[in-house]
Amino acid sequence: MRWWSIPILLVLGWFAYTLTPLWALYDIARAVQAHDTDYIAQHVNFRSLRLSVIRQAAAAAQTRDPATPDAEPRERQRIAEAAAGLAIPIAEALVTPRTVVDLLDDGWPQSVELGRDAPEEKAAGGGLRIDSFRRLIPFYLASEMRGFRTVVVGVPPEAGRDRRLRIRLRLRAWTWRIVDIELNDELRERIAQAFARTGAKAR
């Protein structure tokens, strides 16, 4: 073997490795389209996903609260604790096998009450849809490897960053699993509105 073939083989090996999460994503997409909640339950880390959704929901609530920027540190702490408390039931509702399938199917969780109906562009089908291996190409271009065991993929890849879900996959025990779904701006805004309605009722 010539010495110059070693770096070429390493590059090819790394390229092949970066494809493996896409194969996992393809299988997850097929399970989503089949509404196979058992498969999703085995390939999603619900504990880490639930914690992430709680953080995102609490942050959305705080940014919508007009009193937060001018509040004293103790008051900001109280607001943060209240937001986290309200975020827990939203996270519980969003993070189940059924609702994850619902969210990934077209990018909108219709089974969770967030106020108004889903926007038309969401309901029309902008989620995790991979109907052929060729369809993996835009997903690959929208992916970002973070080290050897983590990859983040924008879904759908054609959408702008403010409309994408960002799915984080992590390799564990030779299997890629979803560990996080970063919600898009529209979903975070709806969650913030839900917090505002809940807060108004509480007052």
Side-chain angles (χ1 to χ4, degrees):
M1 180 181 294
R2 298 182 182 275
W3 67 268
W4 48 261
S5 64
I6 296 177
I8 294 175
L9 290 174
L10 289 175
V11 169
L12 291 176
W14 173 250
F15 174 71
Y17 178 74
T18 62
L19 294 177
T20 58
L22 273 297
W23 304 132
L25 197 67
Y26 176 77
D27 289 335
I28 291 171
R30 289 174 63 87
V32 166
Q33 296 309 306
H35 296 276
D36 187 348
T37 55
D38 290 337
Y39 186 90
I40 295 300
Q42 295 172 8
H43 290 80
V44 174
N45 185 328
F46 285 96
R47 181 178 180 276
S48 64
L49 181 56
R50 188 171 291 108
L51 290 174
S52 173
V53 171
I54 289 173
R55 287 194 298 269
Q56 292 180 69
Q62 286 183 266
T63 57
R64 193 175 179 83
D65 192 326
T68 301
D70 302 323
E72 296 294 328
R74 183 175 296 179
E75 180 66 12
R76 285 200 298 270
Q77 178 65 24
R78 186 190 66 78
I79 292 172
E81 291 174 355
L86 290 172
I88 291 174
I90 289 182
E92 293 292 340
L94 275 174
V95 185
T96 68
R98 177 170 172 265
T99 52
V100 168
V101 166
D102 189 23
L103 174 62
L104 295 180
D105 180 41
D106 61 0
W108 194 264
Q110 285 91 351
S111 59
V112 179
E113 177 56 46
L114 290 176
R116 302 187 305 273
D117 293 335
E120 291 184 4
E121 63 271 17
K122 301 288 183 182
L128 183 61
R129 295 181 177 270
I130 307 177
D131 301 322
S132 65
F133 289 118
R134 181 176 297 180
R135 175 63 178 150
L136 286 171
I137 296 174
F139 282 89
Y140 181 81
L141 297 177
S143 66
E144 177 186 348
M145 291 294 296
R146 297 186 178 178
F148 291 95
R149 299 195 309 123
T150 304
V151 63
V152 178
V153 184
V155 176
E158 299 84 4
R161 292 184 65 87
D162 61 330
R163 290 180 51 203
R164 288 181 182 177
L165 301 174
R166 287 171 60 80
I167 298 176
R168 186 188 302 268
L169 298 165
R170 182 167 296 158
L171 182 66
R172 184 174 183 182
W174 303 102
T175 301
W176 290 96
R177 291 182 173 85
I178 295 176
V179 296
D180 188 14
I181 300 176
E182 183 180 326
L183 306 178
N184 56 37
D185 291 350
E186 177 72 11
L187 269 171
R188 285 196 294 267
E189 176 60 22
R190 294 292 183 88
I191 289 172
Q193 292 172 7
F195 273 112
R197 290 193 298 271
T198 302
K201 292 178 182 178
R203 295 188 188 97

